[in-house]
């Protein structure tokens, strides 16, 4: 039946009810109208379909599925077609498992290396992140399965993620934090977009008409459904006004009565609800049609895709004296517990139950092994003695190191950019015992590598998924030639990061460095980094020649040649360098990239298209400042002149951090730049709202303190451990419970009635009133 006809039959109450899920993962089925439900599950690097106990943190078991490498690794392939292939495979598995919507990909910008969820995001560069996400989306959607582009928008830290405020100027928002979403929406066409937990400039993303209607739908032409992140809905009435369609998870009936009243008293138009219902119906019927077809799903084939992705996403960071590839006939010492138990995916909602799992050790030959450390990353003198013995006995040593799970996870940010102390000691001991030492690294984001000069080779695997073991061996032995490039800057030390003095120091996120994120900062500031954005070695060499720009300045051509002796792939990167004598800008920005596969001696011509956006900045709209621009590919460059639009240079620019990137940004300069004055949130008993967390209220209310303690106890019991903040599951679950606003707890816990509002009254000191609300049920 036609969707409008169904909507005409529905009662207002049923329509409102449909706009919240049925349970943790499903929408509601309304049989009397013939409306089917559909099933959603995480994403993004595989399926996490929970069929029994559900949670948003990947703690309870899910059905087995292929665990592809996490985005940190697939992104380093710089290959949207590979992402599309992975998307297709995930789409096939979704059909096989009856999933209509995959909750991914995530395109939040890697603003700071310590963000606990960086492993789930693509890059510090929005152009690259957008293109890769579009590839993934195309792959999944072509299978008839929906995707959910997340977390819209500006959700680049885990600290206080449920109720922090991301505050920034318009230019930073548009050029850095929205561009990846824009490209992914326009080129990938996802069925849904997931709005983020934090507020953006003081407004909850779920309530934001500016974000969800003006920008997403009107500017970018998005015509799909907006779903909340799990528990992100703030004001359901404003949500409808803004175009936030589906409230997830379901079960709580959150604000449904209030919505009904708002329609009845004319504050909310029923038409707004109809529009949301229609978007939900569209997906529900699409998923239903898919369920009726037979799925053909090759999990074995997908393992091979996962292996290929891990190989192509690996980045060779160092290879002195061509230590790699290793000779398979020589004896090697394999050091580190991660060789037998590698870190292959991140913790939290994206955690997949892998179909199978290959560990590196199983694929390495003529190897003596020493643990070197335990799974927690700790070592001791006797372990180190074993390590030295093994390293001394072999022709070369390969150390497996990285970040154990407890170091990085959804729900909290990393404390440090360093590797665990045990891994550092292990690397040092091996490097001293064997001059031919290589390090294989596993982590979801950049780590400090003060030890880099002491070893000959470094191979960064990121989080390589279930086939990571085979991939490592193929790369080490040269069966596969590494071709990954970094998608984020590897800083020498955390202090070098432009946001290091501000990130993690307060609950709100003040984007003080503005547009100067990653390479945009270090290049302009002249800060030396360990490994730059876009960097990665190969077992062969490439040369560029014949760089040309067409007379109309719309296309660039270059010839790439494999000048080495083995086949390999290169990622040709095009940067546009901007005039520096007007409005402040980064020295250069990525505006094109292509991956080319070449046999030894082979050449290929590569072309890039340039549009206005390759030169534009945001100043109340996209505008091109006039001047000389430099088109750079590798070492080659061509200067071109662009006529410009009228641009005004703000008064605060001269001599400010933004002009030259000298030092670090200050709050005072940032306030001048944004025109905003930051007033930190005040916690006052009597003024708490549903947006406050148990953690925030516990020092003001004995009741909240007691609840806090009870939650600690229940979580520890549930995990079968004692209260332990070094356990990442415990830490993550605490952050996501006592760190959640009361409204999120109500929604995510499927808690009906007046319990949470009643508790709020009590926390505010009105015990009896609170009791009354609980009884009244509202
Ligand atoms: C995460 C989302 C995820 C959702 C459902 C949330 O906590 O932020 O990325 O899709 O849970 O598991």
């Amino acid at each position: 039946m036609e969707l409008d006809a169904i909507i005409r039959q529905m009662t207002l109450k049923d329509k409102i009810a449909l706009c919240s899920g049925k349970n943790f993962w499903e929408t509601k089925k309304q049989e009397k109208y013939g409306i089917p439900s559909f099933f959603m599950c995480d994403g993004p690097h595989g399926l996490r379909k929970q069929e029994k106990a559900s949670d948003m943190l990947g703690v309870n078991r899910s059905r087995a599925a292929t665990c592809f490498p996490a985005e940190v690794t697939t992104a380093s392939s710089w290959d949207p077609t590979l992402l599309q292939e992975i998307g297709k495979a995930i789409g096939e598995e979704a059909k096989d498992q009856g999933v209509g919507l995959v909750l991914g990909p995530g395109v939040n910008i890697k603003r700071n290396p310590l963000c606990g969820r960086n492993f789930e995001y693509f890059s510090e560069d929005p152009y690259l992140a957008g293109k890769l996400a579009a590839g993934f989306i195309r792959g999944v959607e072509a299978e008839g399965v929906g995707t959910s582009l997340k977390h819209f928008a500006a959700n680049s830290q885990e600290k206080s993620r449920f109720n922090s405020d991301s505050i920034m100027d318009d230019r930073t928002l548009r050029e850095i934090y929205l561009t990846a979403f824009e490209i992914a929406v326009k080129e990938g066409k996802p069925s849904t977009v997931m709005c983020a937990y934090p507020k953006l400039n003081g407004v909850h993303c779920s309530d934001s008409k500016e974000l969800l209607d003006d920008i997403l739908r009107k500017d970018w032409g998005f015509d799909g459904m907006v779903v909340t992140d799990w528990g992100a809905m703030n004001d359901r009435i404003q949500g409808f006004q803004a175009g936030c369609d589906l409230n997830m998870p379901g079960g709580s009936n959150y604000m449904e009565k209030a919505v009904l009243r708002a329609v009845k008293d004319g504050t909310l138009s029923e038409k707004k609800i109809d529009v949301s219902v229609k978007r939900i119906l569209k997906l529900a019927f699409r998923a239903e049609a898919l369920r009726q077809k037979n799925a053909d799903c090759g999990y074995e084939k997908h393992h091979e895709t996962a292996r290929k992705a891990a190989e192509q996403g690996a980045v060779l960071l160092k290879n002195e004296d061509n230590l790699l590839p290793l000779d398979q006939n020589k004896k090697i010492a394999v050091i580190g517990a991660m060789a037998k138990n590698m870190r292959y995916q991140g913790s939290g909602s994206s955690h997949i139950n892998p179909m199978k799992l290959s560990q590196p050790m199983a694929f390495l030959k003529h190897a003596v092994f020493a643990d070197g450390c335990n799974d927690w990353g700790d070592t001791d003198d006797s372990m180190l003695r074993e390590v030295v013995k093994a390293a001394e006995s072999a022709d070369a040593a390969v150390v497996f190191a990285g970040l154990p799970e407890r170091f990085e996870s959804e729900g909290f940010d990393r404390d440090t950019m360093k590797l665990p102390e045990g891994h550092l000691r292990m690397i040092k001991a091996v490097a001293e015992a064997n001059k031919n030492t290589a390090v294989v690294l596993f982590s979801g984001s950049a780590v400090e590598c003060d030890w880099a000069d002491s070893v000959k080779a470094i191979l960064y695997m990121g989080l390589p998924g279930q086939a990571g073991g085979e991939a490592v061996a193929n790369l080490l032995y040269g069966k596969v030639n590494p071709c990954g490039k970094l998608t984020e800057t590897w800083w020498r030390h955390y202090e070098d990061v432009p946001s290091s003095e501000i990130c993690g120091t307060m609950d709100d996120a003040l984007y003080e460095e503005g547009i100067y994120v990653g390479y945009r900062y270090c290049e302009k500031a002249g800060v030396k980094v360990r490994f730059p954005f876009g960097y990665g070695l190969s077992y062969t060499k490439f040369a560029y020649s014949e760089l040309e720009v067409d007379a109309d300045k719309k296309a660039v051509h270059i010839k790439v040649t494999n000048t080495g002796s083995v086949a390999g792939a290169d990622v040709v990167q095009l940067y546009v360098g901007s005039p520096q004598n007007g409005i402040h800008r980064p020295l250069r920005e990525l505006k094109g990239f292509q991956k080319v596969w070449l046999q030894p001696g082979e050449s290929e011509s590569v072309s890039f298209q340039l549009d206005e956006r390759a030169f534009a900045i945001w100043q109340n709209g996209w505008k091109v400042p006039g001047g000389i621009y430099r088109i750079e590919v590798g070492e080659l460059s061509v200067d071109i002149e662009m006529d410009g639009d009228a641009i005004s240079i703000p008064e605060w620019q001269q001599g400010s951090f933004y002009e030259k990137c000298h030092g670090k940004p200050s709050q005072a300069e940032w306030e001048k730049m944004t025109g905003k004055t930051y007033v930190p949130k005040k916690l006052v008993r009597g003024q708490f709202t549903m947006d406050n967390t148990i953690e925030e209220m516990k020092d003001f209310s004995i009741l909240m303190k007691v609840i806090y303690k009870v939650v600690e106890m229940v979580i520890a019991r549930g995990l079968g451990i004692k209260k332990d903040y070094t356990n990442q599951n415990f830490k993550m679950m605490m952050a996501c419970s006592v760190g959640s606003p009361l409204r999120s707890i109500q929604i995510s816990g499927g808690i009906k009635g007046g319990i949470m509002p009643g508790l709020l009254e009590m926390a505010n000191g009105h015990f009896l009133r609170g009791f009354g609300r609980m009884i009244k049920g509202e």
Side-chain angles (χ1 to χ4, degrees), residues 25 42 48 56 117 150-151 161 197 229 349 410:
W25 300 118
D42 290 297
R48 182 172 73 90
M56 58 196 209
R117 221 172 166 184
K150 65 191 188 185
H151 308 87
R161 68 170 170 158
Y197 288 124
D229 197 344
S349 61
E410 176 176 346

Side-chain angles (χ1 to χ4, degrees), residues 708-772:
Y708 187 94
K709 293 277 167 210
V710 172
V711 174
E712 257 183 346
M713 206 175 71
V714 170
I715 291 179
R717 279 228 183 121
L719 291 172
I721 58 172
K722 290 220 168 87
K723 169 178 123 184
D724 176 5
Y725 283 91
T726 63
N727 176 304
Q728 92 280 354
N729 276 339
F730 182 79
K731 206 167 152 185
M732 170 172 74
M733 289 171 81
M734 281 302 286
C736 295
S737 47
V738 295
S740 279
L742 296 184
R743 63 179 164 79
S744 301
I745 298 180
Q746 176 167 353
I747 297 170
S748 298
I751 303 169
K752 290 202 173 84
I755 295 179
M756 300 316 285
L759 283 178
L760 173 67
E761 292 283 6
M762 291 177 180
N764 273 326
H766 311 300
F767 201 82
L768 285 178
R769 212 191 290 168
F771 201 60

Side-chain angles (χ1 to χ4, degrees), residues 551-684:
D552 64 4
K553 300 166 193 161
K554 290 200 168 138
V556 178
H557 315 276
I558 190 156
K559 191 168 148 195
V560 195
T561 307
N562 180 347
T563 56
S565 54
V566 287
D570 185 33
V571 178
V572 189
Q573 302 167 35
L574 182 149
Y575 294 85
V576 174
S578 307
Q580 294 293 309
N581 53 359
I583 183 88
H584 74 92
R585 301 185 78 171
L587 294 188
R588 58 179 199 150
E589 292 174 276
L590 181 77
K591 297 294 173 183
F593 63 92
Q594 271 185 56
K595 194 156 188 173
V596 278
W597 300 83
L598 296 171
Q599 293 299 320
E602 195 186 356
S603 297
E604 192 173 313
S605 278
V606 176
S607 294
F608 299 92
Q609 302 304 313
L610 293 178
D611 57 14
E612 280 224 314
R613 280 290 284 278
F615 305 96
I617 64 156
W618 179 266
Q619 195 171 78
N620 300 317
W622 292 107
K623 291 181 185 151
V624 176
I628 307 288
Y629 285 81
R630 177 158 291 186
I631 307 298
E632 293 179 27
V633 184
E635 305 275 277
L636 304 181
S637 67
V638 173
D639 286 354
I640 57 171
E641 185 163 7
M642 300 295 286
D643 299 334
D645 299 318
I647 303 285
S648 54
I649 300 184
E651 254 171 54
W652 49 258
Q653 180 177 310
Q654 203 189 359
S656 73
F657 162 83
Y658 307 97
E659 193 178 51
K660 297 249 163 52
C661 282
H662 281 162
K664 292 279 173 63
S666 71
Q667 190 171 323
E669 276 193 329
W670 172 78
E671 289 189 343
K672 268 198 211 153
M673 189 262 280
T674 53
K676 302 173 202 271
T677 309
Y678 176 63
V679 185
K681 178 160 77 174
K682 271 211 189 96
L683 297 172
V684 182

